[in-house]
Amino acid sequence: MKLLFWSQWAFATAVQVALLFLLAVNKSGDVASHYRVLAIAASIASVPLCVVFHTYSMHNGYLVGIARIGAAWAALVAVLTFSAFLTKTSELFSREVVLEWVIGGYAIQALVYVPLQYFFKQVQGNQRYARPSIIVGAGQLAFDLASKLRYERKEAMLGVVALDDEDLYEVENTSRYFPTLGVVSQLRSILKDNDVSRVYIALPAKETDQIEGLYVDLLDANVDVVWVPDFANLKLLNHSIQNLGGMPAIHLNESPLTSSPGAALMKSLMDRTLAVLGVIALAPVLVSCAIAVKLSSPGPILFKQKRHGWNGNIIEVLKFRSMKVHEDNQVKQAQKEDPRITRAGRFLRRSSLDELPQLFNVIKGDMALVGPRPHALAHNDYYSDKIIAYMARHRIKPGITGLAQISGYRGETETLDKMQKRVEMDLEYINHWSLWLDVKILIKTPLTLVSKDIY
């Protein structure tokens, strides 16, 4: 909803700029030129950050929205601080003014967000319930669509229309929680009697003739016609629909990093910045782990393993060596009481400290902080023809942690079903990727680091 975004953004920008100018006047009696430049820079930079963090999405609850505003505001402050450092202009600004602006700016944005979000939700709700919609279709697809429209989108879903008398029983049986309005031959009277505004066609692509017939028949019916194709059996990846020279193009498999370069740049900046800070903060831990590995058994401190990275490119992933030096030509993951694991290595694996050197992979650009965990090449060869869309995990950079890891799918995957669940979580992450999701995963990761299931 573009109106919602720009209205919320304009109001938030206006209040934060007004606060900055008011603080500057209170401090020095006027608004100096560097404060005016700061206001312009903050206003421009806030647009992509609000988009990346989904700050003004209608799907946000009030607390989630306030948290997203905080994340976007913190990112904006970080960008502006870094820019001031590079341009050597930080000394121009009063620390008192900047600090009050940072704290007060967020507080005011959070306060105005709640009533504005409530107002737009009320407006959207009134629009949806003004005139109802109906579904033409049969089977599970029609039922699933009806459920999403009514319970997720809160749309006034009137009921389901079957294709013919033969399908009527199936519709009544499958969609028993929603009214069955009749069959397609009665569609005109159904539209007229119920003042319908939108017709959803829930039919598979193979019913092309039926879909075309319905579309042509409804051209003069003064209703919106929406076709919802049945892609239930396809493993879609970040799918979207684009206008390609007047022709609708459905993207079934698209990488978020190529479809949204601005968001990908923000993710890369966040990953590398946090990785550098992590290396500095954890330097004593890194040194202690290195000493423990060196004393545990003969061999190198770091274990380098070739794995698939972004778009299937081969990268060398770094880990603290947790096993005795051995050949690793077979598909054999570490297991409980594995004799190859050293005493120090067992502790490192349980605490996931063996993964810390991958911070250098992030700084180098081979990995991200959050993403699908990279598997050994032999493991990828083994599972690629056994699990559908297994290699689609590599459409984005692999991560040190990920949605699968915080969801309980860490460590050994001794059964095909467990690996299947991990892959499903990885694809779920790719389909719903956002910086906000990365932040939540990073926050939850420490709570899952110590596990009895990691050997």
Side-chain angles (χ1 to χ4, degrees):
M1 190 176 181
K2 293 182 179 180
L3 177 61
L4 168 68
F5 175 86
W6 289 112
S7 299
Q8 295 253 42
W9 173 84
F11 204 94
T13 300
V15 296
Q16 65 169 312
V17 169
L19 176 63
L20 178 62
F21 287 176
L22 181 63
L23 292 172
V25 170
N26 184 58
K27 182 68 176 178
S28 59
D30 67 340
V31 182
S33 59
H34 49 274
Y35 285 111
R36 293 195 292 269
V37 172
L38 174 60
I40 295 173
S43 301
I44 295 174
S46 65
V47 175
L49 289 173
C50 287
V51 172
V52 168
F53 283 96
H54 302 286
T55 306
Y56 302 124
S57 170
M58 283 298 296
H59 299 295
N60 291 341
Y62 296 118
L63 292 179
V64 171
I66 291 174
R68 290 181 185 273
I69 289 174
W73 183 245
L76 176 62
V77 171
V79 169
L80 294 175
T81 302
F82 185 64
S83 300
F85 172 76
L86 289 180
T87 56
K88 299 181 179 180
T89 56
S90 57
E91 66 275 4
L92 297 176
F93 299 92
S94 165
R95 293 183 180 180
E96 179 184 350
V97 170
V98 171
L99 183 60
E100 290 178 351
W101 179 62
V102 170
I103 298 174
Y106 171 65
I108 294 177
Q109 288 183 72
L111 287 174
V112 301
Y113 170 79
V114 174
L116 282 178
Q117 186 78 344
Y118 175 79
F119 171 75
F120 278 104
K121 283 189 174 183
Q122 290 295 111
V123 171
Q124 188 182 53
N126 292 335
Q127 289 176 345
R128 285 178 177 171
Y129 282 100
R131 293 174 64 191
S133 59
I134 64 172
I135 296 173
V136 176
Q140 192 63 37
L141 176 61
F143 174 73
D144 291 342
L145 177 59
S147 299
K148 290 182 182 297
L149 292 176
R150 175 170 294 181
Y151 300 120
E152 293 185 18
R153 290 178 54 86
K154 308 299 183 183
E155 193 165 323
M157 209 290 296
L158 190 63
V160 180
V161 177
L163 296 179
D164 49 41
D165 292 332
E166 185 176 339
D167 290 331
L168 188 59
Y169 173 77
E170 181 184 359
V171 172
E172 290 176 340
N173 184 52
T174 306
S175 306
R176 56 187 178 277
Y177 298 108
F178 303 97
T180 303
L181 306 175
V183 295
V184 167
S185 59
Q186 304 168 322
L187 187 56
R188 285 285 182 167
S189 61
I190 293 173
L191 297 178
K192 182 179 179 181
D193 294 343
N194 297 282
D195 192 26
V196 174
S197 64
R198 177 169 293 179
V199 176
Y200 290 95
I201 301 176
L203 295 173
K206 64 181 181 180
E207 301 289 349
T208 305
D209 293 340
Q210 184 76 52
I211 295 167
E212 183 178 356
L214 282 168
Y215 168 70
V216 172
D217 187 51
L218 294 172
L219 278 176
D220 60 349
N222 194 32
V223 293
D224 298 331
V225 181
V226 181
W227 174 40
V228 182
D230 186 6
F231 290 145
N233 295 322
L234 294 180
K235 291 288 186 181
L236 302 181
L237 188 66
N238 194 42
H239 55 286
S240 61
I241 299 177
Q242 183 181 30
N243 188 313
L244 195 63
M247 301 174 64
I250 303 177
H251 296 252
L252 302 178
N253 183 2
E254 187 175 36
S255 168
L257 296 179
T258 56
S259 63
S260 182
L265 176 61
M266 290 301 301
K267 175 177 172 63
S268 180
L269 288 174
M270 183 183 77
D271 284 340
R272 295 189 179 189
T273 301
L274 292 179
V276 170
L277 294 176
V279 169
I280 295 173
L282 297 171
V285 179
L286 289 166
V287 173
S288 299
C289 291
I291 294 174
V293 171
K294 191 64 179 177
L295 296 177
S296 65
S297 66
I301 294 174
L302 293 179
F303 173 62
K304 301 179 181 180
Q305 189 176 44
K306 293 185 181 297
R307 301 189 176 187
H308 284 115
W310 182 18
N311 285 334
N313 295 324
I314 304 298
I315 62 174
E316 277 195 338
V317 175
L318 304 178
K319 296 178 68 173
F320 282 124
R321 181 174 57 83
S322 59
M323 294 184 179
K324 300 172 184 176
V325 177
H326 66 283
E327 293 295 329
D328 189 23
N329 296 324
Q330 297 180 341
V331 181
K332 185 179 180 181
Q333 293 181 318
Q335 301 174 351
K336 188 175 183 179
E337 306 300 333
D338 196 317
R340 300 173 296 170
I341 302 177
T342 64
R343 182 177 299 179
R346 193 172 303 280
F347 171 76
L348 293 176
R349 295 174 71 89
R350 281 184 177 275
S351 59
S352 292
L353 291 175
D354 63 325
E355 311 283 356
L356 286 182
Q358 289 165 34
L359 290 171
F360 294 101
N361 284 112
V362 176
I363 296 172
K364 183 181 177 183
D366 289 338
M367 294 180 62
L369 289 179
V370 182
R373 285 291 300 149
H375 298 156
L377 299 183
H379 295 161
N380 288 338
D381 293 339
Y382 178 78
Y383 289 112
S384 60
D385 61 349
K386 293 178 174 60
I387 297 177
I388 297 176
Y390 176 84
M391 295 301 288
R393 306 168 67 252
H394 304 101
R395 296 306 308 279
I396 65 174
K397 289 182 182 180
I400 297 178
T401 185
L403 183 60
Q405 281 63 49
I406 67 167
S407 302
Y409 301 105
R410 298 174 65 236
E412 182 185 0
T413 51
E414 71 277 7
T415 66
L416 195 62
D417 181 64
K418 287 187 177 181
M419 182 60 79
Q420 175 74 51
K421 293 294 185 182
R422 179 183 289 185
V423 172
E424 288 176 1
M425 296 304 299
D426 289 337
L427 297 183
E428 177 80 7
Y429 169 77
I430 293 174
N431 273 318
H432 299 92
W433 174 82
S434 69
L435 279 185
W436 176 245
L437 179 58
D438 278 5
V439 171
K440 289 195 292 186
I441 291 174
L442 289 173
I443 292 173
K444 290 181 180 180
T445 293
L447 303 177
T448 63
L449 284 181
V450 179
S451 171
K452 294 181 181 179
D453 297 326
I454 305 301
Y455 308 110

